Amino acid sequence: MSAADHHLMLAFEGSVMPDWLRTRLGESPPAGVTLFREHNMKTPDQVAELTTALQWANGADLPLLIAMDQEGGQLTGLPGSTPFAGNMALGAAGDTDLTRQVAEAMAREMSAVGANLNYAPVADVATRPGNPSLGVRSFGEDPKLVADHVAAAVAGFAAGGVLATLKHFPGKGEAAVDPHYDLPRLDIDRDRLDAVELAPFRAGIGAGASLVMTGHYSVPALTGHPDLPVSMSSRAIDGFIRSELGFEGVVITDALDMGALDQGAGQVIDLIASMSGGNDLLLCMPDEQLRERARLAVDRGASRGLIRPEALEASVGRIGAVRARIPDVEMDPGLVGSHLSLAEELARRSVTLVRNDTRLLPLRLGADASILAIEPAPTNVTPADTTALYAPAMAAALRAFHPRVEELVYPHEPADDDIAAIVERAAGVDLVVAGTVNATSGQADLTSLLARSGTPLVTVALREPQDLRAYPGARTHVCTYSGHSPAMTALAQALFGEIGFAGRLPVAIPGLYPIGHGL
């Protein structure tokens, strides 16, 4: 039996347990397993069968940690689960009790298929518009708002029978690059960290979060080193998370396959640094070589004295204490997807009217008026994304209120020919409703041309509210924070005056509108 396995969260390819993992679980069981939607999950029933098989094969006295990324919104790890709009929509709704209810509902659906650990909530503060790996995954820009919602989410996950993970310590709101591709450096001082980034982590720890996930970011104010990731720094983990924040739970790295880390043989050194720095768990991906490097790093690091035995012993104790708290929940895959009314409530309470300069809204259209609904094809903008698995829903939602709606779905980054064809088509209709997602240059060009065309136009930020900066000439602008069907239904209801616009901006649109704005 390898002592390293106590410190690994393993992953694998396939919707059934592979033979190598069955052997490993029986002979040298790891702390747990992470299930990824694209690698392991097809239906709720299949996931329940898989988690049951994993726990039956587990040779340890304690249950396996079985984890998912079930953030809601753009990252929804469980297939068939209720399509909640996600964190920024919750920030726009501004009700922490609603956040707790949504988190509990997500947790109950996870528990129903045998998952017991969620890599959520996201505790990052969205201070940098256009952050390539954050956006609507954050509750917002105000540290207190984010802290309050993080604490509510932790409580909700616990009520639903799932352990919560605060991520991505110490907060990646200022990251200019995505750690999936490169190592971000956050040049922010300690006073700023205390006032902004760390507030949600303190709140989440106070609410009882079981895990903290360390990010692959360079933060010299914490590490004392210009290019050392926080996930490898003893000053950041043992010195700060444990000593200063007083966190007594489990610290886990973010995924080890990211471009911010060495992905060759040299990664063994980084993984030894991660463990000697104070991480308890290494988050592996379905890569055999990476998995074996992680195992080798812990074994060799311990045998060579690079990882202190007393530190490993304390780590095993923390992991065991968390695993002992896994609740015994009766599985029922039929619960998955059963909270649609709550998702609809969130959508209604978060849809935000930012600009209505021409008083176009609420819409008053004759029966013969024609609407062109355009939006980008659902695309996974970052690796932390499941958007491409969902069909466009805006046109169908509008048709419930008006009979003449034409749908036009264009590429996420439209070419000049695409733009010209759409603008030509828009000239022949009475109203255009144009959705954008993280307004790429092509989306911005298209929407700006539509705004100048003379055809009445409603622009809809289907993800980040700051899209309006890319086409500031648009005179009627709405934010839904999500393109999922409940959000699109709420959009249609609000456009046609069936409901009001209840949401308020949880982030500023720099140069245009402050936090809290809404009409």
Side-chain angles (χ1 to χ4, degrees), residues 1 18 21 72 94 121 163 172 205 207 209 228 279 287 300 302 373 380 409 437-438 444 454-455 470 485 490:
M1 180 173 180
L21 182 56
L163 306 174
K172 64 175 181 178
I205 290 170
L228 178 67
N279 283 289
D287 178 326
R300 290 291 179 86
N380 291 341
V409 178
V437 174
N438 294 13
T455 301
S485 57

Side-chain angles (χ1 to χ4, degrees), residues 235-254:
R235 282 182 56 171
I237 302 171
D238 281 339
F240 193 86
I241 295 176
R242 298 203 190 284
S243 297
E244 292 201 37
L245 294 184
F247 181 61
E248 297 179 352
V250 167
V251 179
I252 184 172
T253 67
D254 204 344

Side-chain angles (χ1 to χ4, degrees), residues 15-102:
S15 57
V16 297
M17 179 170 46
D19 290 341
W20 71 262
L21 182 56
R22 187 182 304 276
T23 300
R24 188 86 158 255
L25 288 170
E27 295 178 355
S28 187
V33 172
T34 305
L35 300 182
F36 295 98
R37 184 162 180 171
E38 67 271 31
H39 297 300
N40 308 117
M41 294 187 273
K42 295 181 177 180
T43 67
D45 285 330
Q46 171 265 322
V47 177
E49 291 175 5
L50 177 57
T51 60
T52 299
L54 289 167
Q55 294 291 11
W56 273 106
N58 174 33
D61 294 333
L62 294 170
L64 287 173
L65 294 167
I66 298 182
M68 295 180 183
D69 278 305
Q70 184 73 348
E71 296 178 9
Q74 76 176 60
L75 185 53
T76 302
L78 177 60
S81 57
T82 301
F84 289 108
N87 288 346
M88 194 164 284
L90 287 161
D95 183 347
T96 54
D97 186 59
L98 179 61
T99 296
R100 187 199 60 76
Q101 291 178 55
V102 168

